[in-house]
Amino acid sequence: MAETYRRKMTAYEEVNWQYNKAADLLGIPESYKSIMRNCYRELKVQIPLRRDNGKLEEYFGFRVQHNGARGPYKGGIRYHPSVNLDEVRALASLMTWKTALVDIPFGGAKGGVNCDPHSMTDNELQYLTRTFTRKIDMALGIYRDIPAPDVNTNAKVMAWMMDEYGRKNGFSPAIVTGKPIALGGSQGRESATGLGVCFVAQRACRDYKIPMNGAKVVIQGFGNVGSWAARFLVEAGAKVIAIADAEAGIINNDGLNIPSLLAHVKDKKTIAGFPSADNLPKDNIFGVPCDILIPAALNGVITETTVEPIKTKLIIEGANNPINPHADHILKERGIPVVPDILANAGGVTVSYFEWTQNLQQMYWDEKEVQKKLESKMDRAYTEVWEMAQKHNVPLRMAAFMVAIKRVQEATLLRGV
Ligand code: NAD
């Protein structure tokens, strides 16, 4: 391990590190290992933007299609100043393994623009989104590549993408998921990732003998994933005792009142200043002793440095790629189980699949039906990962990659590659 860490890995190298280990455990021949590891198609486009104040700025947008052996490419669009090709490749690869793991008929993709949407007006954001959509249009399609929201994008951005794509290709609600309900979005899509996190947390608590009733939960990130996970976990009997967002951290050992916190965030756009809690430096969030720790903000946050103060019985990865391989190894040595991202946060893409299906058949399901179908998919995936982990005596992350790689390999072979 030390040998490998003489230099810091990039995000894509980190994902491939895990992939290579799992592929080796499965005995995949080198030629297939490489075909399934590398990306199929990578687009980089220039996006000039005239700001409302007349200033001309230049951004770059990316769409990476990693693997389409099992179906159309599927993955979110991220708006963040740090978006770059390596990160998009890493996230696209994770989507391949995630869609295969929950056994939905999609491949893996990801996209993004290196902009700061918080500094933009709605007009600027709409212009940028439409320009980006036009420039990657040739790679999209309802049976080719279907974007969705990710960090700093939402239903509104998806509506603009759908509208722009439709100008050239005709009315096509199935071209994006995570749309507003009024434009063909699915009931239950907004809360799906957080609900999926809660489902797997309940299964893992049973397996690791952690009583959910009164379990102390700590969450990094209170956006879509973190806030919905908090709501569902409290409904399941847990106590969320500490949360951090980009601005601040808060703690209350008796349990934070999540409905009041949601009302506070709706108004203030941050958890900072929430009255019924003590302040906590946001970077100390991982040091709060708890039963369940949920990183649900950004990738690369748990490293060989930040792993040290962690005092928890279980980690559920709400975010994508939050733990680097070095920290993952340290957690394994310390006996702290990790439910990996490709399983834990797969609820979002699973309901995206339900949304796409509903768009294609023009028949819509109610929220109860969506949640029931989601539970069944997550439950099956969790069981398969657990059984693979027991059979090969490997951590859940390795087991999850192994289940997923086997499915992608089977599809690749059947296509005659
Ligand atoms: P979001 O933009 O809604 O929320 C992100 C949250 O992280 C915000 O509360 C923000 O304040 C917080 N944050 C940012 N920087 C931080 C920092 N340095 N310290 C503490 N908190 C910080 O994003 P989201 O949709 O909730 O996505 C979060 C993660 O989950 C990402 O890794 C994303 O790829 C992953 N994910 C999201 C979905 C989904 O359906 N939204 C599905 C699968 C995976």
Side-chain angles (χ1 to χ4, degrees), residues 78 91 98 110 149-152 189 193 220-226 244-247 282 296-299 318-320 345 348:
R78 177 174 293 200
L91 295 167
K98 194 180 300 183
K110 203 80 179 188
D150 190 64
V151 173
N152 291 332
R189 172 61 184 89
T193 309
Q220 186 196 43
F222 201 65
N224 176 289
V225 181
D245 70 5
E247 306 287 319
K282 74 180 166 76
L298 299 172
N299 41 310
N320 283 313
N345 68 32

Tab-separated table of all heavy atoms in Angstrom, residues 78 91 98 110 149-152 189 193 220-226 244-247 282 296-299 318-320 345 348, ligand 1:
chain	number	residue	atom	x	y	z
A	78	ARG	N	-22.773	18.048	-13.423
A	78	ARG	CA	-22.316	18.796	-12.244
A	78	ARG	C	-21.842	20.182	-12.653
A	78	ARG	O	-21.119	20.310	-13.641
A	78	ARG	CB	-21.165	18.007	-11.611
A	78	ARG	CG	-20.516	18.645	-10.427
A	78	ARG	CD	-19.490	17.726	-9.788
A	78	ARG	NE	-20.114	16.552	-9.180
A	78	ARG	CZ	-19.534	15.801	-8.245
A	78	ARG	NH1	-18.323	16.081	-7.821
A	78	ARG	NH2	-20.155	14.750	-7.731
A	91	LEU	N	-16.275	9.760	-12.138
A	91	LEU	CA	-17.695	9.679	-11.792
A	91	LEU	C	-18.472	8.880	-12.842
A	91	LEU	O	-19.418	8.157	-12.520
A	91	LEU	CB	-18.273	11.092	-11.624
A	91	LEU	CG	-17.670	11.877	-10.435
A	91	LEU	CD1	-18.033	13.361	-10.513
A	91	LEU	CD2	-18.128	11.301	-9.097
A	98	LYS	N	-22.388	1.300	-10.747
A	98	LYS	CA	-23.615	1.500	-9.956
A	98	LYS	C	-24.850	0.961	-10.693
A	98	LYS	O	-25.657	0.235	-10.122
A	98	LYS	CB	-23.780	3.008	-9.699
A	98	LYS	CG	-24.782	3.364	-8.643
A	98	LYS	CD	-24.868	4.877	-8.457
A	98	LYS	CE	-23.550	5.471	-8.050
A	98	LYS	NZ	-23.628	6.921	-7.796
A	110	LYS	N	-21.061	10.681	-17.180
A	110	LYS	CA	-21.118	11.835	-16.277
A	110	LYS	C	-20.776	13.070	-17.089
A	110	LYS	O	-20.125	12.969	-18.135
A	110	LYS	CB	-20.108	11.683	-15.128
A	110	LYS	CG	-20.462	12.502	-13.909
A	110	LYS	CD	-21.520	11.825	-13.080
A	110	LYS	CE	-21.884	12.605	-11.845
A	110	LYS	NZ	-22.783	11.822	-10.985
A	149	PRO	N	-29.617	15.422	-12.818
A	149	PRO	CA	-28.951	16.426	-11.962
A	149	PRO	C	-27.837	15.815	-11.127
A	149	PRO	O	-27.832	14.624	-10.859
A	149	PRO	CB	-30.074	16.923	-11.030
A	149	PRO	CG	-31.330	16.279	-11.476
A	149	PRO	CD	-30.972	15.114	-12.336
A	150	ASP	N	-26.886	16.629	-10.733
A	150	ASP	CA	-25.852	16.249	-9.761
A	150	ASP	C	-25.558	17.516	-8.948
A	150	ASP	O	-26.417	18.405	-8.890
A	150	ASP	CB	-24.612	15.682	-10.498
A	150	ASP	CG	-23.617	15.057	-9.523
A	150	ASP	OD1	-23.969	14.058	-8.874
A	150	ASP	OD2	-22.499	15.566	-9.386
A	151	VAL	N	-24.363	17.611	-8.391
A	151	VAL	CA	-24.041	18.748	-7.516
A	151	VAL	C	-24.306	20.071	-8.255
A	151	VAL	O	-23.828	20.275	-9.379
A	151	VAL	CB	-22.562	18.669	-7.048
A	151	VAL	CG1	-22.167	19.918	-6.279
A	151	VAL	CG2	-22.352	17.421	-6.200
A	152	ASN	N	-25.095	20.939	-7.629
A	152	ASN	CA	-25.415	22.289	-8.127
A	152	ASN	C	-26.258	22.325	-9.402
A	152	ASN	O	-26.347	23.364	-10.052
A	152	ASN	CB	-24.149	23.130	-8.356
A	152	ASN	CG	-23.462	23.483	-7.059
A	152	ASN	OD1	-24.110	23.574	-6.018
A	152	ASN	ND2	-22.164	23.656	-7.107
A	189	ARG	N	-38.555	11.109	-7.055
A	189	ARG	CA	-37.182	11.189	-7.563
A	189	ARG	C	-36.318	12.062	-6.651
A	189	ARG	O	-35.173	11.725	-6.369
A	189	ARG	CB	-37.152	11.740	-9.004
A	189	ARG	CG	-35.748	12.053	-9.550
A	189	ARG	CD	-34.867	10.817	-9.602
A	189	ARG	NE	-33.482	11.095	-10.030
A	189	ARG	CZ	-32.490	11.413	-9.227
A	189	ARG	NH1	-32.691	11.541	-7.922
A	189	ARG	NH2	-31.273	11.611	-9.707
A	193	THR	N	-32.415	9.311	-3.493
A	193	THR	CA	-31.059	8.947	-3.062
A	193	THR	C	-31.013	8.857	-1.539
A	193	THR	O	-30.470	7.890	-0.978
A	193	THR	CB	-30.026	9.953	-3.597
A	193	THR	OG1	-30.235	10.110	-5.005
A	193	THR	CG2	-28.609	9.465	-3.361
A	220	GLN	N	-22.122	14.726	6.786
A	220	GLN	CA	-21.466	15.849	6.112
A	220	GLN	C	-22.245	16.147	4.842
A	220	GLN	O	-22.353	15.292	3.956
A	220	GLN	CB	-20.016	15.527	5.751
A	220	GLN	CG	-19.310	16.756	5.182
A	220	GLN	CD	-18.019	16.436	4.448
A	220	GLN	OE1	-17.950	15.485	3.682
A	220	GLN	NE2	-16.994	17.232	4.684
A	221	GLY	N	-22.781	17.381	4.748
A	221	GLY	CA	-23.583	17.755	3.578
A	221	GLY	C	-25.060	17.744	3.941
A	221	GLY	O	-25.566	16.764	4.493
A	222	PHE	N	-25.732	18.845	3.659
A	222	PHE	CA	-27.177	18.909	3.930
A	222	PHE	C	-27.895	19.432	2.684
A	222	PHE	O	-28.751	20.294	2.750
A	222	PHE	CB	-27.442	19.794	5.156
A	222	PHE	CG	-28.787	19.533	5.808
A	222	PHE	CD1	-29.066	18.307	6.397
A	222	PHE	CD2	-29.767	20.512	5.822
A	222	PHE	CE1	-30.294	18.061	6.984
A	222	PHE	CE2	-31.009	20.280	6.416
A	222	PHE	CZ	-31.267	19.054	7.000
A	223	GLY	N	-27.481	18.877	1.536
A	223	GLY	CA	-28.157	19.208	0.275
A	223	GLY	C	-29.191	18.137	0.002
A	223	GLY	O	-29.829	17.619	0.934
A	224	ASN	N	-29.341	17.766	-1.256
A	224	ASN	CA	-30.357	16.777	-1.608
A	224	ASN	C	-30.154	15.467	-0.833
A	224	ASN	O	-31.061	15.008	-0.129
A	224	ASN	CB	-30.326	16.533	-3.125
A	224	ASN	CG	-31.285	15.441	-3.543
A	224	ASN	OD1	-31.066	14.267	-3.269
A	224	ASN	ND2	-32.383	15.809	-4.180
A	225	VAL	N	-28.976	14.882	-0.935
A	225	VAL	CA	-28.756	13.558	-0.345
A	225	VAL	C	-28.782	13.624	1.189
A	225	VAL	O	-29.502	12.872	1.860
A	225	VAL	CB	-27.408	12.957	-0.833
A	225	VAL	CG1	-27.195	11.574	-0.242
A	225	VAL	CG2	-27.367	12.904	-2.354
A	226	GLY	N	-27.981	14.528	1.762
A	226	GLY	CA	-27.861	14.607	3.220
A	226	GLY	C	-29.173	14.931	3.906
A	226	GLY	O	-29.521	14.329	4.931
A	244	ALA	N	-22.617	19.037	8.973
A	244	ALA	CA	-21.809	20.149	8.448
A	244	ALA	C	-22.254	20.428	7.025
A	244	ALA	O	-22.617	19.506	6.299
A	244	ALA	CB	-20.330	19.779	8.451
A	245	ASP	N	-22.259	21.707	6.641
A	245	ASP	CA	-22.417	22.034	5.220
A	245	ASP	C	-21.227	22.887	4.810
A	245	ASP	O	-20.232	22.968	5.543
A	245	ASP	CB	-23.786	22.670	4.911
A	245	ASP	CG	-23.958	24.079	5.459
A	245	ASP	OD1	-22.978	24.642	6.009
A	245	ASP	OD2	-25.064	24.623	5.341
A	246	ALA	N	-21.287	23.527	3.628
A	246	ALA	CA	-20.123	24.260	3.128
A	246	ALA	C	-19.788	25.460	4.015
A	246	ALA	O	-18.661	25.961	4.003
A	246	ALA	CB	-20.390	24.711	1.703
A	247	GLU	N	-20.780	25.933	4.805
A	247	GLU	CA	-20.576	27.138	5.616
A	247	GLU	C	-20.198	26.853	7.048
A	247	GLU	O	-19.410	27.578	7.649
A	247	GLU	CB	-21.894	27.965	5.663
A	247	GLU	CG	-22.481	28.322	4.327
A	247	GLU	CD	-21.675	29.397	3.636
A	247	GLU	OE1	-21.256	30.331	4.332
A	247	GLU	OE2	-21.453	29.278	2.417
A	282	LYS	N	-16.720	23.216	10.964
A	282	LYS	CA	-17.208	22.220	9.971
A	282	LYS	C	-16.189	21.136	9.675
A	282	LYS	O	-16.540	20.004	9.381
A	282	LYS	CB	-17.723	22.902	8.713
A	282	LYS	CG	-16.672	23.478	7.793
A	282	LYS	CD	-17.356	24.109	6.590
A	282	LYS	CE	-16.439	24.985	5.796
A	282	LYS	NZ	-15.476	24.328	4.940
A	296	ALA	N	-21.922	13.044	2.745
A	296	ALA	CA	-22.922	13.265	1.684
A	296	ALA	C	-22.703	14.634	1.047
A	296	ALA	O	-23.657	15.361	0.762
A	296	ALA	CB	-24.336	13.151	2.263
A	297	ALA	N	-21.405	14.993	0.856
A	297	ALA	CA	-21.124	16.302	0.249
A	297	ALA	C	-20.302	16.112	-1.027
A	297	ALA	O	-20.865	15.967	-2.106
A	297	ALA	CB	-20.398	17.197	1.247
A	298	LEU	N	-18.983	16.057	-0.875
A	298	LEU	CA	-18.108	16.025	-2.055
A	298	LEU	C	-17.242	14.781	-2.058
A	298	LEU	O	-17.146	14.077	-1.049
A	298	LEU	CB	-17.207	17.264	-2.053
A	298	LEU	CG	-17.923	18.613	-2.125
A	298	LEU	CD1	-16.927	19.743	-1.924
A	298	LEU	CD2	-18.658	18.776	-3.451
A	299	ASN	N	-16.558	14.538	-3.191
A	299	ASN	CA	-15.622	13.419	-3.256
A	299	ASN	C	-14.290	13.780	-2.585
A	299	ASN	O	-13.992	14.954	-2.365
A	299	ASN	CB	-15.386	12.973	-4.705
A	299	ASN	CG	-15.257	14.107	-5.676
A	299	ASN	OD1	-16.108	14.996	-5.683
A	299	ASN	ND2	-14.214	14.123	-6.461
A	318	GLY	N	-22.893	8.423	1.173
A	318	GLY	CA	-23.948	9.124	0.435
A	318	GLY	C	-23.361	9.819	-0.785
A	318	GLY	O	-23.940	9.809	-1.864
A	319	ALA	N	-22.178	10.418	-0.639
A	319	ALA	CA	-21.497	11.091	-1.756
A	319	ALA	C	-20.816	10.055	-2.643
A	319	ALA	O	-20.649	8.901	-2.254
A	319	ALA	CB	-20.460	12.073	-1.217
A	320	ASN	N	-20.399	10.490	-3.826
A	320	ASN	CA	-19.610	9.637	-4.709
A	320	ASN	C	-18.134	9.771	-4.369
A	320	ASN	O	-17.624	10.887	-4.245
A	320	ASN	CB	-19.819	10.065	-6.169
A	320	ASN	CG	-21.151	9.578	-6.697
A	320	ASN	OD1	-21.512	8.421	-6.519
A	320	ASN	ND2	-21.892	10.471	-7.331
A	345	ASN	N	-25.671	5.078	-2.627
A	345	ASN	CA	-26.391	6.220	-3.223
A	345	ASN	C	-27.039	5.876	-4.567
A	345	ASN	O	-27.377	6.758	-5.349
A	345	ASN	CB	-25.487	7.460	-3.304
A	345	ASN	CG	-24.351	7.319	-4.302
A	345	ASN	OD1	-24.477	6.646	-5.321
A	345	ASN	ND2	-23.233	7.991	-4.020
A	348	GLY	N	-30.894	7.184	-6.369
A	348	GLY	CA	-31.184	8.266	-7.321
A	348	GLY	C	-31.275	7.748	-8.740
A	348	GLY	O	-32.260	7.992	-9.446
B	1	NAD	P1	-26.106	19.278	-3.172
B	1	NAD	O1	-25.429	20.321	-3.994
B	1	NAD	O2	-27.594	19.251	-3.093
B	1	NAD	O3	-25.564	19.322	-1.656
B	1	NAD	C1	-24.194	19.321	-1.335
B	1	NAD	C2	-24.070	19.642	0.158
B	1	NAD	O4	-22.686	19.535	0.522
B	1	NAD	C3	-24.497	21.062	0.527
B	1	NAD	O5	-25.164	21.035	1.782
B	1	NAD	C4	-23.164	21.801	0.653
B	1	NAD	O6	-23.253	22.916	1.536
B	1	NAD	C5	-22.327	20.693	1.263
B	1	NAD	N1	-20.879	20.940	1.156
B	1	NAD	C6	-20.166	21.405	0.095
B	1	NAD	N2	-18.870	21.545	0.443
B	1	NAD	C7	-18.771	21.163	1.723
B	1	NAD	C8	-17.700	21.085	2.653
B	1	NAD	N3	-16.466	21.439	2.307
B	1	NAD	N4	-17.951	20.638	3.919
B	1	NAD	C9	-19.202	20.272	4.292
B	1	NAD	N5	-20.260	20.312	3.457
B	1	NAD	C10	-20.042	20.762	2.197
B	1	NAD	O7	-25.546	17.888	-3.735
B	1	NAD	P2	-26.215	16.442	-3.609
B	1	NAD	O8	-27.072	16.211	-4.797
B	1	NAD	O9	-26.770	16.273	-2.246
B	1	NAD	O10	-24.933	15.514	-3.818
B	1	NAD	C11	-24.026	15.263	-2.763
B	1	NAD	C12	-23.140	14.083	-3.146
B	1	NAD	O11	-23.976	12.942	-3.419
B	1	NAD	C13	-22.288	14.263	-4.412
B	1	NAD	O12	-21.100	13.527	-4.266
B	1	NAD	C14	-23.141	13.640	-5.498
B	1	NAD	O13	-22.368	13.214	-6.618
B	1	NAD	C15	-23.712	12.458	-4.734
B	1	NAD	N6	-24.936	11.896	-5.299
B	1	NAD	C16	-26.052	12.650	-5.466
B	1	NAD	C17	-27.201	12.062	-5.970
B	1	NAD	C18	-28.490	12.825	-6.111
B	1	NAD	O14	-29.507	12.215	-6.490
B	1	NAD	N7	-28.519	14.121	-5.826
B	1	NAD	C19	-27.202	10.712	-6.332
B	1	NAD	C20	-26.043	9.970	-6.143
B	1	NAD	C21	-24.922	10.569	-5.616
